[in-house]
Amino acid sequence: MLLAIDCGNTNTVFSIWDGSEFLCTLRTSTHHARTADAYFTWYSTLVKHYGIQADITDVIISSTVPRVVFNLRVFADRFFGCRPLVVGKPDCLLPNPPRVDAGTQVGPDRLVNAAGAYDRHGGNLIVIDFGTATTFDVVSDDGAYIGGVIAPGVNLSLEALHMAAAALPHVDISHPDKVIGTNTVACMQSGVFWGYVGLVREICHRIREERDRGMKLVATGGLAPLFQQSVDLFDEMEDDLTMHGLTVIHRHNKENANI
């Protein structure tokens, strides 16, 4: 079985893939000082709790936090006896290598999302990921990542408002009943919610205009359902896109005898 690990700036997700479906998905906060032993204690406790019988033979890692990769490598080697694939490293082959400026390092999460989206929806896509940052990944007709856009994440914007303006409280993002707020919290929620709706629409419009073609919008990330249910922004929504992308990249390496 495959253990797919996606380490983001805020959360780290482990999913067990049996070749046809994910048996379970486990989530913890990202912490660069977490040791291999601590990972295993957390992982094994939850797997036992869910009653999962998982004989892990392979591990693949995507991490936007470089400092955690070493301990995750040790975790895979010590407890599963395997050398993990790490997306973005030279020995991890991609189904369709990115086409970007020479010397540019593309975030592993963006490469994984591109691979997963292409496998499910074909090419000519814009993948919007609502994470710590809100990213727009442009996927070409042949499935290659060819560039994109990075904007501050929704919760990051709310936190910045709270931190920078002493009179503004911390609020959670929600779909406001009205655009015009009649109290401070409603004003902030309206500004952030409708501001991000406008951001998504305008950026996607300009990408399509620049590419001179229609493009399917695929959304993922924790806040994607909120925007989709409220204003129907996207053509497709995927809650497991990154994990699916990791299985696609792992399969590609297996087929090419890289592992």
Side-chain angles (χ1 to χ4, degrees), residues 133-237:
T134 300
T135 58
F136 299 75
D137 302 325
V138 181
V139 183
S140 69
D141 295 339
D142 64 356
Y145 170 88
I146 57 172
V149 176
I150 301 175
V154 177
N155 287 319
L156 193 62
S157 295
L158 282 168
E159 189 64 25
L161 274 176
H162 170 61
M163 295 293 290
L168 296 181
H170 175 79
V171 301
D172 293 323
I173 182 67
S174 67
H175 181 198
D177 295 329
K178 300 181 295 183
V179 175
I180 301 173
T182 53
N183 58 69
T184 301
V185 170
C187 289
M188 293 173 66
Q189 289 176 331
S190 182
V192 171
F193 180 86
W194 292 113
Y196 270 85
V197 170
L199 179 144
V200 169
R201 283 178 171 160
E202 182 66 14
I203 287 178
C204 290
H205 167 71
R206 290 186 175 273
I207 289 173
R208 285 165 162 162
E209 194 173 60
E210 191 170 295
R211 296 273 292 158
D212 193 25
R213 66 192 69 186
M215 303 179 74
K216 181 181 285 189
L217 305 186
V218 180
T220 190
L223 290 176
L226 170 67
F227 289 96
Q228 181 70 346
Q229 291 165 9
S230 302
V231 288
D232 195 27
L233 274 178
F234 320 114
D235 299 308
E236 303 285 348
M237 199 172 62

Side-chain angles (χ1 to χ4, degrees), residues 6-255:
D6 172 40
C7 179
N9 291 295
T10 303
N11 293 315
T12 298
V13 181
F14 287 46
S15 287
I16 299 172
W17 174 253
D18 71 355
S20 59
E21 64 179 350
F22 289 110
L23 300 182
C24 70
T25 295
L26 314 173
R27 186 180 300 269
T28 186
S29 59
T30 298
H31 195 304
H32 72 272
R34 185 172 284 127
T35 65
D37 292 346
Y39 277 118
F40 185 71
T41 300
W42 165 81
Y43 166 85
S44 59
T45 299
L46 285 180
V47 167
K48 183 178 180 181
H49 171 76
Y50 288 117
I52 302 296
Q53 299 295 322
D55 181 18
I56 301 298
T57 58
D58 297 271
V59 177
I60 184 168
I61 300 166
S62 168
S63 177
T64 59
V65 185
R67 288 189 295 175
V68 306
V69 173
F70 174 78
N71 283 328
L72 287 172
R73 282 183 181 271
V74 174
F75 164 76
D77 177 64
R78 181 178 297 168
F79 297 106
F80 303 118
C82 68
R83 181 172 180 267
L85 275 174
V86 180
V87 178
K89 299 298 183 183
D91 61 342
C92 182
L93 305 177
L94 298 173
N96 301 283
R99 295 195 292 273
V100 293
D101 294 344
T104 299
Q105 289 191 330
V106 181
D109 55 330
R110 309 184 79 177
L111 298 173
V112 172
N113 282 347
Y118 179 70
D119 184 69
R120 283 183 170 168
H121 304 289
N124 205 28
L125 308 171
I126 303 172
V127 181
I128 304 119
D129 189 347
F130 291 90
T132 304
T134 300
T135 58
F136 299 75
D137 302 325
V138 181
V139 183
S140 69
D141 295 339
D142 64 356
Y145 170 88
I146 57 172
V149 176
I150 301 175
V154 177
N155 287 319
L156 193 62
S157 295
L158 282 168
E159 189 64 25
L161 274 176
H162 170 61
M163 295 293 290
L168 296 181
H170 175 79
V171 301
D172 293 323
I173 182 67
S174 67
H175 181 198
D177 295 329
K178 300 181 295 183
V179 175
I180 301 173
T182 53
N183 58 69
T184 301
V185 170
C187 289
M188 293 173 66
Q189 289 176 331
S190 182
V192 171
F193 180 86
W194 292 113
Y196 270 85
V197 170
L199 179 144
V200 169
R201 283 178 171 160
E202 182 66 14
I203 287 178
C204 290
H205 167 71
R206 290 186 175 273
I207 289 173
R208 285 165 162 162
E209 194 173 60
E210 191 170 295
R211 296 273 292 158
D212 193 25
R213 66 192 69 186
M215 303 179 74
K216 181 181 285 189
L217 305 186
V218 180
T220 190
L223 290 176
L226 170 67
F227 289 96
Q228 181 70 346
Q229 291 165 9
S230 302
V231 288
D232 195 27
L233 274 178
F234 320 114
D235 299 308
E236 303 285 348
M237 199 172 62
E238 303 276 3
D239 60 0
D240 65 345
L241 183 64
T242 303
M243 286 301 168
H244 178 68
L246 285 170
T247 69
V248 170
I249 293 173
H250 175 263
R251 183 178 69 234
H252 178 74
N253 280 267
K254 277 271 194 183
E255 291 171 349

